[in-house]
Amino acid sequence: MMDKKVRKTAAILGIIAFLFFSFAFTMVPLYNTFCRTTGYNGKVDLKAAKHTNATIPINRKITMQFVTMNNNDLPWDFYAKASYMEISPEQNYKMIFSVKNRTEKTMTVQAIPSVTPWQAAKHLHKIQCFCFSKQSLQSGEAKDMPLIFWIDKDLPKDIKTITLAYTLFDVG
Amino acid sequence: MNHAAHLPHHRKTFIGWISRWLFTTNHKDIGTLYLFFSLFMFFFGGIFAMLIRAKLFVPGTTFMQPNSYNEIVTLHGLVMIFGAIMPAFVGLANWMIPLMIGAPDMALPRMNNWSFWILPFAFSILLGTLLMSGPAPNFGWTMYAPLSTHFGPPSTDFLIVAIHLLGFSSVMGAINIIATIINLRAPGMTWMKMPIFAWSWFITAFLLIAAMPILAGTVTMMLFDRHFGTSFFSAAGGGDPLLYQHAFWSFGHPEVYIMILPGFGIISEVIPTFSRKRLFGYNFMVYALAAIAILSFLVWGHHMFTTGIALTAQLFFMYLTILIAVPTGIKVFNWVATMFKGSLTFETPMLFALAFIFLFTIGGFSGLMLAIVPADIQYHASYFVVAHFHYVLVAGALFSIMAGVYYWLPKWTGYFYNEMLGKLHFWISFLSINLTFFPMHFLGLAGMPRRIADYALQFTPLNFTCSLGAFVFGAIQFLFVYNIIYSILGMGRKASDHVWEGTHGLEWTLTSPPPYHSFTTPPKIN
């Protein structure tokens, strides 16, 4: 009688423990969804956005800065053609990023974007970006990669400068 | 243990002795095993602590390579948390909870045996990394990715397996304690009549069941990242190293309460006994325990203020962290109110309990300072943090364990320890612990970073002081061991059934030492 009750308690508690074990894994999609929807951490959607459909230009100047970094001293050249550009909301802009594989072998890399301040992340829309996919270059090969983007008009008024940082990772 | 009548039947040979301890399902035997194991690991982790302080005795990279220093810091943390503090509390729970609630044994005695015997294996695996070629885990006990994934030495995999085993052990231990308390309370022992130590463990066990599996899941993801091509914590593959910190601290913060709530329970038993009064505000003590436990799951972000989490998140975590001061304050207030107008005497357990209240409060206040975002940005990863968590874990958790051991030792063995040596142990521990950790506050505020094997020259005098205090503290613990042996061998005064003058509760109605099988018929509670 008592034994049955004990076994029942133990089984319930065992299930709770297992659920918390699974919870550790569900944190991954939860965290990603949370970050992508709110833009916390400066995470941006890695899917192509639509063109802006605004027709009347908005008179507001924003400085868009481009920062490039190589993770772990990756031996590639990686830079934006200009370090910044003056832009207005609701208009498409294009920036070219150059890469060159300085190694002796073919390598595959992935650029990971991050937006500062993070409040700007969900107002940045990328129509085309090299960061959407992995890039493979042979030894010594160079390439110009375009980024086409626009900023929407709901960008908080106090944001006058946005920094878009790309870090290049070796993904084997 | 010289009462043959209390011992189980076993062959009086070496094999008989081994199999008695190896296969025992008796809660007192397993409690004893846990306590001896934790004492052993306390000295093991203590050797690491002495090596750390020897390294930092003078500046410069003498005595030890920086990488060895990193390994020792990592293992010191892991051994002290999972090997010394937690098993000690589980040991006390095994010994005392069945006696306190009038149960014949733990609810799941075989699982109890298993959850203890996992521990020596887990720690053999963990400490075996020191003997392997290549470095032992050297990234701190927090195991941050990518230090533990991309840059972790091969021995990290052994660490992961050891953590899995420790998780199994803790969760089984916790299930056992909850099942015992829910099902085996003596008739008439209602929830709000239950001794406060049993309450504190009941709540801690739920924290264990929730927190340890999260750690197990997190290190599993770490293992996948290391070997199976996933990128949970690697930005290159679309993961996020910050996710590791979120996952780790959603285990890590409840974990620090796992290491202190049973201590609160012990102190709430010791203070009333030596004040000869009932615990002031029993109900509020129980509610405060529960409140602290719930809040502990909502404050993990305060370990991550400098990682660039959003301002709203920083504020959320800051306010909730500061809110924990309210239930904790209730507890401190009630302990002091219990002593108010009591007939106080100052035996060794009481001295440790008083030092606990005093020093834990200092640790709590430095915790409040760290909870304030703008201040934390300054204090983060400095020796101020080291001072804070050693005040709550050494002067807090460890002192509460020592208070508990001195308090219950005469009950377990039937003989008192040497009171004079116990007091000597207390006073030297009390002075040396402050000598060790108090200067660390100043070192941190002056900008000395933690986790680094060397320091700037201006920090030399204070580090010298810290090391001196640490050596004294380490050495004096042999007196603790001597006193335990003194009591076990029956060299001291014989203890009566109620042991101390002001004791209340079922455990004091039994003989000292209690019979091997206690409460085979449930006692009556009035």
Side-chain angles (χ1 to χ4, degrees), chain B residues 50-330:
Chain B
M50 295 302 109
L51 288 171
I52 291 169
R53 283 322 313 176
K55 173 73 197 70
L56 298 175
F57 205 29
V58 286
T61 48
T62 50
F63 183 62
M64 194 191 288
Q65 290 301 310
N67 188 55
S68 312
Y69 177 84
N70 292 346
E71 293 168 8
I72 284 169
V73 167
T74 305
L75 292 171
H76 167 72
L78 290 166
V79 165
M80 283 303 197
I81 290 167
F82 294 106
I85 302 287
M86 285 168 69
F89 280 134
V90 181
L92 292 171
N94 263 296
W95 246 105
M96 298 318 297
I97 286 176
L99 300 186
M100 285 179 158
I101 64 170
D105 205 306
M106 295 297 277
L108 302 147
R110 277 160 191 272
M111 200 164 87
N112 208 9
N113 173 292
W114 195 17
S115 63
F116 171 75
W117 281 109
I118 284 176
L119 287 181
F121 292 95
F123 278 96
S124 306
I125 292 169
L126 180 62
L127 295 170
T129 56
L130 280 174
L131 307 172
M132 293 170 190
S133 60
N138 52 7
F139 29 70
W141 86 277
T142 50
M143 308 176 277
Y144 275 7
L147 292 176
S148 58
T149 51
H150 193 71
F151 302 102
S155 58
T156 309
D157 300 327
F158 289 86
L159 167 72
I160 292 170
V161 173
I163 299 263
H164 279 140
L165 290 175
L166 291 170
F168 268 107
S169 166
S170 305
V171 168
M172 287 195 295
I175 288 176
N176 211 343
I177 287 165
I178 296 176
T180 307
I181 290 176
I182 288 182
N183 296 304
L184 299 189
R185 275 170 296 134
M189 175 155 300
T190 56
W191 285 105
M192 293 317 271
K193 274 187 189 165
M194 198 161 73
I196 193 86
F197 178 68
W199 253 118
S200 72
W201 244 112
F202 185 68
I203 289 164
T204 306
F206 276 104
L207 289 184
L208 274 169
I209 284 180
M212 287 306 285
I214 296 180
L215 177 67
T218 308
V219 296
T220 307
M221 287 190 260
M222 196 199 278
L223 187 74
F224 280 23
D225 270 14
R226 285 170 62 80
H227 296 293
F228 304 120
T230 59
S231 307
F232 288 112
F233 306 133
S234 154
D240 191 335
L242 264 191
L243 173 64
Y244 176 84
Q245 297 190 22
H246 283 290
F248 179 82
W249 286 114
S250 50
F251 143 79
H253 204 78
E255 170 68 18
V256 307
Y257 287 95
I258 288 166
M259 291 190 283
I260 202 65
L261 292 188
F264 287 171
I266 294 168
I267 300 307
S268 308
E269 298 284 346
V270 172
I271 296 277
T273 296
F274 296 98
S275 308
R276 288 155 187 83
K277 278 175 68 189
R278 285 308 177 97
L279 182 66
F280 182 84
Y282 169 89
N283 290 8
F284 274 90
M285 290 302 239
V286 174
Y287 303 148
L289 281 171
I292 293 171
I294 292 164
L295 284 174
S296 78
F297 278 100
L298 302 171
V299 295
W300 77 89
H302 68 214
H303 298 270
M304 301 171 59
F305 283 155
T306 60
T307 59
I309 57 169
L311 183 66
T312 39
Q314 292 183 359
L315 291 173
F316 171 83
F317 289 123
M318 174 170 95
Y319 292 137
L320 278 181
T321 305
I322 293 172
L323 192 61
I324 296 185
V326 176
T328 314
I330 289 173

Side-chain angles (χ1 to χ4, degrees), chain A residues 2 5-6 9-10 13-14 16-17 20-21 23-25 27-28 31 36 40-41 43 72 110 112 118 169-171, chain B residues 107-108 150 171 175 178 182-184 206 209-210 213-214 216-217 220-221 232 235-236 240 242-243 246-247 250 310 312:
Chain A
M2 192 55 93
K5 263 173 69 189
V6 168
T9 319
L13 294 170
I16 294 176
F20 273 99
F21 180 73
F23 172 69
F25 291 88
M27 277 170 83
V28 180
Y31 177 78
R36 293 253 155 78
Y40 280 180
N41 281 3
K43 279 204 177 192
N72 226 2
Q110 165 83 55
I112 302 289
W118 64 266
F169 286 87
D170 177 8
V171 289
Chain B
L108 302 147
H150 193 71
V171 168
I175 288 176
I178 296 176
I182 288 182
N183 296 304
L184 299 189
F206 276 104
I209 284 180
I214 296 180
T220 307
M221 287 190 260
F232 288 112
D240 191 335
L242 264 191
L243 173 64
H246 283 290
S250 50
T312 39

Side-chain angles (χ1 to χ4, degrees), chain A residues 116-168:
Chain A
T116 312
W118 64 266
Q119 288 91 337
K122 64 177 171 188
H123 303 286
L124 171 67
H125 306 277
K126 296 175 176 180
I127 297 161
Q128 192 189 341
C129 181
F130 54 92
C131 60
F132 293 161
S133 60
K134 291 174 185 170
Q135 309 288 332
S136 272
L137 290 189
Q138 285 164 353
S139 168
E141 192 185 348
K143 190 178 174 185
D144 281 349
M145 305 185 299
L147 161 72
I148 303 173
F149 68 96
W150 57 282
I151 300 286
D152 68 42
K153 59 181 185 312
D154 300 324
L155 183 77
K157 288 276 174 281
D158 55 326
I159 297 178
K160 297 192 168 58
T161 305
I162 300 172
T163 308
L164 175 57
Y166 283 103
T167 310
L168 211 57

Side-chain angles (χ1 to χ4, degrees), chain A residues 75-88:
Chain A
W76 282 47
D77 292 331
F78 176 42
Y79 55 91
K81 289 281 187 197
S83 61
Y84 71 94
M85 65 201 290
E86 297 293 336
I87 60 168
S88 298

